[in-house]
Amino acid sequence: MNVWKAGLERLGLDVGPWLNAAKRAARAGAKDDAAIATSSGRSIPLGLLREHALRVAPGQRIAYVTDAAFTSANVDAVLSLAAGADHLFIEAPFADEDAAIAAERRHLTAAQAGDLARRAGVKRLTTFHYSPRYLATPDRLRCEAEAHFVAAVEA
Ligand SMILES: [Zn+2]
């Protein structure tokens, strides 16, 4: 049973010893409407914690992103969705050079996909949903995304 901090934050909750009771209840198979007392004196239904902040280990967290325009709202959503994921599958339809086309079609560039993966701190990146215009250069988009994904590690 793992606690997912980004999920806790989204619920407006802090990490603390109260989580042990939540994990115990979840492990014991308590019902979703079971009330869990939090550190702030509030109480929250176990089901909400299960949905947003508790993960059963061992396991992997996979995030999947496609058909995403590069807007600040989408950037926030992707970073929140993919934060610390073991494996991010993300679209990389266009090369950086064609960023104007990507924006017009409301899709990401490979560079943006790689940057998002790096910023989200994912462990592994897989790109897909390539535009047919790069059929003659099959590795281009993957390489571009990977270059941006590892840039910070090598710096
Ligand atoms: Zn699409």
Side-chain angles (χ1 to χ4, degrees):
M1 188 73 61
N2 289 328
V3 175
W4 188 35
K5 272 173 90 176
L8 278 184
E9 279 169 23
R10 221 176 4 248
L11 294 170
L13 296 169
D14 293 321
V15 179
W18 68 272
L19 281 166
N20 292 325
K23 289 197 258 186
R24 259 196 312 277
R27 252 186 250 112
K31 292 209 171 93
D32 279 348
D33 61 1
I36 304 296
T38 72
S39 57
S40 59
R42 283 166 57 195
S43 99
I44 184 164
L46 180 60
L48 209 53
L49 285 172
R50 275 196 176 110
E51 186 184 336
H52 294 281
L54 295 178
R55 293 289 180 275
V56 176
Q60 288 214 322
R61 216 161 58 75
I62 309 290
Y64 180 90
V65 174
T66 192
D67 289 345
F70 193 68
T71 61
S72 63
N74 277 348
V75 166
D76 288 348
V78 169
L79 292 179
S80 158
L81 174 85
D86 296 290
H87 198 162
L88 171 63
F89 294 83
I90 187 167
E91 69 163 19
F94 295 98
D96 204 27
E97 189 181 275
D98 297 323
I101 301 169
E104 184 192 302
R105 305 264 172 93
R106 304 188 63 76
H107 280 78
L108 301 176
T109 66
Q112 288 163 347
D115 279 331
L116 287 168
R118 176 177 43 74
R119 289 173 63 193
V122 306
K123 295 189 184 73
R124 206 174 144 205
L125 168 67
T126 298
T127 53
F128 67 98
H129 194 13
Y130 301 148
S131 163
R133 71 176 53 219
Y134 309 104
L135 280 178
T137 52
D139 291 332
R140 178 175 178 181
L141 297 168
R142 180 180 56 78
C143 290
E144 219 172 276
E146 281 171 2
H148 282 255
F149 179 45
V150 300
V153 179
E154 288 175 353

